[in-house]
Amino acid sequence: MTTPHYEHHPASPRASGMGGPVKVALLMVAIVGGFYLLREHWNHVAGNWIYLLLLACPLMHLFHGHGGHGGHGGRGAPSGKRSDKGE
């Protein structure tokens, strides 16, 4: 009986593109900008919240990304698990 061999390739430190501090800084700028934008236009947002909710559905489907689910089935057996029945 043999055990499966999985190769492990560690990710390089710059594999994600930008460094951590740059991502955090951009995220903070986006949050502060979003807060001020929402604050200035709250009357418009509050009056049309149902349309924004309906718009969120297709946007979630568009930006969802279909990688890294794990365990949904449908593409054969999950990787890493084998059935040794009858062997």
Side-chain angles (χ1 to χ4, degrees), residues 6 31 33-34 46 69:
Y6 298 103
I31 289 173
H69 283 342

Side-chain angles (χ1 to χ4, degrees), residues 20-32:
V22 175
K23 286 182 183 179
V24 171
L26 289 176
L27 179 66
M28 290 298 148
V29 167
I31 289 173
V32 170

Side-chain angles (χ1 to χ4, degrees), residues 24-58:
V24 171
L26 289 176
L27 179 66
M28 290 298 148
V29 167
I31 289 173
V32 170
F35 169 75
Y36 283 114
L37 186 66
L38 186 63
R39 185 175 172 199
E40 292 295 321
H41 297 281
W42 179 249
N43 290 334
H44 306 294
V45 173
N48 297 317
W49 68 270
I50 189 69
Y51 300 113
L52 294 173
L53 183 66
L54 290 174
L55 181 64
C57 296

Side-chain angles (χ1 to χ4, degrees), residues 9-19 23:
H9 299 285
S12 65
R14 291 289 179 180
S16 63
M18 291 187 293
K23 286 182 183 179

Side-chain angles (χ1 to χ4, degrees), residues 3-11:
T3 58
H5 176 70
Y6 298 103
E7 292 185 25
H8 177 66
H9 299 285

